[in-house]
Amino acid sequence: MADGEDTFPGQSIVTEGEWAGWRPCVGSDPFEDQSGPYYTRDEPDGSVVCAFRAERKHMNGGGFMHGGCVLTFADFCLFAIGREALKDVHAVTVSLNGDFVGPAYEGDLIEGRGEVIRAGGSLIFLRGIISTGGKTMLSFSGVVKKVGKRDAKN
Amino acid sequence: MADGEDTFPGQSIVTEGEWAGWRPCVGSDPFEDQSGPYYTRDEPDGSVVCAFRAERKHMNGGGFMHGGCVLTFADFCLFAIGREALKDVHAVTVSLNGDFVGPAYEGDLIEGRGEVIRAGGSLIFLRGIISTGGKTMLSFSGVVKKVGKRDAKN
Amino acid sequence: MADGEDTFPGQSIVTEGEWAGWRPCVGSDPFEDQSGPYYTRDEPDGSVVCAFRAERKHMNGGGFMHGGCVLTFADFCLFAIGREALKDVHAVTVSLNGDFVGPAYEGDLIEGRGEVIRAGGSLIFLRGIISTGGKTMLSFSGVVKKVGKRDAKN
Amino acid sequence: MADGEDTFPGQSIVTEGEWAGWRPCVGSDPFEDQSGPYYTRDEPDGSVVCAFRAERKHMNGGGFMHGGCVLTFADFCLFAIGREALKDVHAVTVSLNGDFVGPAYEGDLIEGRGEVIRAGGSLIFLRGIISTGGKTMLSFSGVVKKVGKRDAKN
């Protein structure tokens, strides 16, 4: 039940360092701030890529990335992937399903990509893949529900 | 992809304060430490209850609990609910599905309960409910896979 | 995407034979007619049980019940379990998730039970268990969406 | 819990009529025979397309395709999509999740396509799309488990 508000933070694209060319998504969503920081980048084909760098804090007791960490990023990805359909509305996650197929470790660059399956009047259906170094970590699908118009000022 | 290791931390039950009677699950899983702290309590009927107190850090940009926060707790719950079937093995989450049906806010006590649907030789199927104040927040189901014997020393 | 219409067929309860006390759900839904026949029975506690008898036609190439057969029955169960919430409306399945945990064979009596997790204004969340002889076959969850008022005449 | 056996029936490709160029998958799986008939066709890129023609018998009480009918076809598709990974083994469906995003009607040509997300030692993860006339009907994902070597004679 992330809220779309925080996926368009109006923040400036980073101009140097590891994240040059990426837009940081920080400062408006406390749980994402501590679980990230997350970044997005618009691709030439109109799609969006989401990413974050795996740190020690993202790991589980076994030394690889916690399932909840991967799903939190997937929930973030839903709203980034669906940003066009959700740009004028508030929305909440109704359903999120994930199949875990591979691990990630401290230091890995984690990327999320996906697509809108259908954008209906009230429900948006999406799916995506989270991967690291070209290896799939999670296959996910989700349903997001529009819950009201976004305030003109926001 | 949580690891069962951290669900049996051998920690002492809290004897006073809000969490008197609960066992804290902290210190061995970095992502759960920052997403929690989580607690478990054995019930007279043999089941387990999991819980945590919602703080500002668990919220999304809309001011209610982030979906990833709820799913992270659900992933923790899978291993607590399945602790008997998983007690001698390491295990990873294979699949986690969640339907979000109600919100939670800062200050709420969040509880998770569930059951093992089937404990097979390699796969454990579970389902559960996360709620606050008697109102359901998430209905979840998951599949956990045994990946090897736990070291005798652990 | 079953339609609620056929779950209240107004048919008489069977008075003799194997299905005495059960209400047959036949005659209005072609795919359920050929995949069933299905029966429902109201329990003293207000819940509903759904059932059918496994025949050769329900089996797969391996000689046990086909997954699609189990899921078709689960989809039927969603509407029977949610009949109170859906009694005045047409509705469609939005999402159905099933975990297969045990087989069934020709001649087995298959039963489905479940509960409404939340009945919202537009979406109904449900979950259930399909079993035979006390052994769980499928754990399922689903989301059903109301799509319009049922005609007064129906 | 379909069984892989029936997805490679060794049947001849149809040479004339509507299904010229397609391989019929009939005769070995009773539930698929009555829910189909299904066909597969190998594409130049190495992928497989699955298809069937919607008849009156596939409809629900509302006059559009029954959710169970769509999921039965999706379960068939899992084994066709994963045929390379499953060619020497028997396998069962462990999990199948479907999001229904659009209807189909009597007379429509229904097609299924998808991909293997990961083929592990015991579990195969897949996802796909079922569509008609270029419009998506169902987004699905599934997990299939290998349960034993296929007999050399089969």
Side-chain angles (χ1 to χ4, degrees):
Chain A
M1 222 171 287
D3 188 86
E5 194 164 6
D6 43 328
T7 60
F8 304 96
Q11 285 171 316
S12 300
I13 293 176
V14 178
T15 53
E16 54 187 21
E18 178 186 20
W19 295 104
W22 294 81
R23 188 182 304 274
C25 301
V26 295
S28 60
D29 185 306
F31 193 74
E32 292 187 358
D33 282 356
Q34 85 166 7
S35 301
Y38 300 143
Y39 296 83
T40 63
R41 193 180 64 202
D42 293 321
E43 298 286 81
D45 65 3
S47 69
V48 64
V49 190
C50 305
F52 73 105
R53 177 68 65 182
E55 302 172 30
R56 171 78 186 137
K57 68 175 184 177
H58 298 118
M59 301 297 121
N60 65 18
F64 52 97
M65 188 171 283
H66 194 286
C69 174
V70 185
L71 290 172
T72 297
F73 181 56
D75 194 25
F76 167 82
C77 290
L78 285 182
F79 287 78
I81 296 164
R83 68 203 185 290
E84 276 304 304
L86 299 171
K87 66 184 170 185
D88 297 325
V89 297
H90 289 285
V92 295
T93 307
V94 168
S95 180
L96 181 54
N97 299 337
D99 290 328
F100 296 86
V101 303
Y105 301 95
E106 202 176 333
D108 287 347
L109 178 68
I110 315 300
E111 294 182 296
R113 288 175 173 80
E115 66 202 292
V116 174
I117 297 295
R118 182 165 184 269
S122 67
L123 300 178
I124 317 293
F125 298 79
L126 312 101
R127 69 172 189 177
I129 295 285
I130 292 175
S131 63
T132 182
K135 293 189 177 172
T136 302
M137 297 166 53
L138 184 86
S139 170
F140 67 95
S141 59
V143 184
V144 169
K145 185 183 175 184
K146 300 178 186 175
V147 291
K149 286 267 177 194
R150 195 181 287 276
D151 201 355
K153 288 178 294 189
N154 286 344
Chain B
M1 223 173 287
D3 187 84
E5 193 162 5
D6 42 327
T7 61
F8 304 95
Q11 284 171 317
S12 300
I13 293 176
V14 178
T15 54
E16 54 187 21
E18 178 186 19
W19 294 103
W22 294 81
R23 188 183 303 275
C25 302
V26 296
S28 60
D29 185 306
F31 193 73
E32 292 187 358
D33 282 355
Q34 85 165 6
S35 301
Y38 301 143
Y39 296 82
T40 64
R41 193 180 64 200
D42 293 321
E43 296 288 79
D45 66 2
S47 69
V48 65
V49 190
C50 305
F52 74 105
R53 177 68 64 182
E55 302 172 30
R56 172 79 185 136
K57 69 176 183 176
H58 298 117
M59 302 297 120
N60 64 20
F64 52 99
M65 188 170 283
H66 194 285
C69 175
V70 186
L71 290 172
T72 297
F73 182 55
D75 194 24
F76 168 81
C77 290
L78 285 182
F79 287 79
I81 295 165
R83 67 203 186 290
E84 277 304 305
L86 299 171
K87 66 184 171 186
D88 297 325
V89 297
H90 289 285
V92 295
T93 307
V94 168
S95 180
L96 181 54
N97 299 337
D99 290 327
F100 296 87
V101 303
Y105 301 94
E106 201 176 335
D108 287 347
L109 178 68
I110 313 301
E111 295 183 295
R113 289 175 172 81
E115 64 202 294
V116 174
I117 297 295
R118 181 164 183 272
S122 67
L123 299 179
I124 318 291
F125 297 80
L126 312 102
R127 69 172 188 177
I129 295 285
I130 293 174
S131 63
T132 183
K135 292 190 179 172
T136 302
M137 297 165 52
L138 183 87
S139 171
F140 67 94
S141 60
V143 184
V144 168
K145 185 184 175 184
K146 300 177 186 175
V147 291
K149 287 268 177 195
R150 194 181 287 275
D151 201 355
K153 287 178 293 189
N154 286 344
Chain C
M1 227 171 288
D3 187 86
E5 194 163 3
D6 43 328
T7 61
F8 303 97
Q11 285 170 316
S12 300
I13 293 176
V14 178
T15 54
E16 54 187 20
E18 178 185 19
W19 294 104
W22 294 82
R23 189 183 303 275
C25 301
V26 295
S28 60
D29 186 307
F31 193 73
E32 292 187 359
D33 282 356
Q34 85 165 5
S35 301
Y38 301 143
Y39 296 83
T40 64
R41 194 180 65 201
D42 293 320
E43 297 288 80
D45 65 1
S47 69
V48 64
V49 190
C50 305
F52 74 104
R53 178 68 65 182
E55 303 172 30
R56 170 80 185 134
K57 70 175 183 177
H58 298 118
M59 301 297 120
N60 65 19
F64 53 98
M65 189 169 283
H66 193 286
C69 175
V70 186
L71 290 172
T72 297
F73 182 56
D75 194 25
F76 168 81
C77 290
L78 285 182
F79 287 79
I81 295 164
R83 67 203 186 291
E84 278 303 305
L86 299 171
K87 65 184 171 186
D88 297 326
V89 297
H90 289 286
V92 295
T93 308
V94 167
S95 180
L96 181 54
N97 299 337
D99 290 328
F100 296 87
V101 304
Y105 301 95
E106 202 176 334
D108 288 347
L109 179 68
I110 314 300
E111 294 182 296
R113 288 175 173 81
E115 65 202 293
V116 174
I117 297 295
R118 181 163 184 271
S122 68
L123 299 178
I124 318 292
F125 297 80
L126 311 102
R127 68 172 189 177
I129 295 285
I130 292 175
S131 62
T132 183
K135 293 190 178 173
T136 302
M137 297 166 53
L138 183 86
S139 170
F140 67 94
S141 60
V143 184
V144 169
K145 185 184 176 184
K146 299 177 186 175
V147 291
K149 286 268 177 195
R150 195 182 285 276
D151 201 354
K153 288 177 293 187
N154 285 344
Chain D
M1 224 172 285
D3 187 85
E5 194 163 4
D6 43 329
T7 59
F8 304 96
Q11 285 171 315
S12 300
I13 292 175
V14 178
T15 54
E16 53 186 22
E18 178 187 18
W19 295 103
W22 294 82
R23 188 182 305 274
C25 301
V26 295
S28 61
D29 185 307
F31 193 74
E32 292 187 358
D33 282 356
Q34 86 166 4
S35 301
Y38 301 142
Y39 296 83
T40 63
R41 193 181 65 201
D42 294 320
E43 297 287 80
D45 65 3
S47 69
V48 63
V49 189
C50 304
F52 74 106
R53 178 68 65 182
E55 303 172 30
R56 172 78 185 137
K57 68 175 184 178
H58 298 117
M59 302 297 121
N60 65 19
F64 52 98
M65 188 169 284
H66 194 287
C69 175
V70 186
L71 290 172
T72 297
F73 181 56
D75 194 25
F76 167 82
C77 290
L78 285 182
F79 288 78
I81 295 164
R83 68 204 185 290
E84 277 303 306
L86 299 170
K87 65 184 172 186
D88 297 324
V89 297
H90 289 286
V92 295
T93 308
V94 168
S95 180
L96 181 54
N97 299 337
D99 290 327
F100 296 86
V101 303
Y105 301 96
E106 202 176 333
D108 287 348
L109 178 68
I110 314 301
E111 295 182 296
R113 289 176 172 80
E115 64 201 294
V116 175
I117 297 295
R118 182 164 184 269
S122 66
L123 299 178
I124 317 292
F125 297 80
L126 312 100
R127 69 172 188 177
I129 295 284
I130 293 175
S131 62
T132 183
K135 292 189 178 173
T136 302
M137 297 166 52
L138 183 86
S139 171
F140 67 94
S141 59
V143 183
V144 169
K145 185 184 176 184
K146 301 178 185 175
V147 291
K149 286 268 177 195
R150 195 181 285 277
D151 201 356
K153 287 177 295 189
N154 286 344

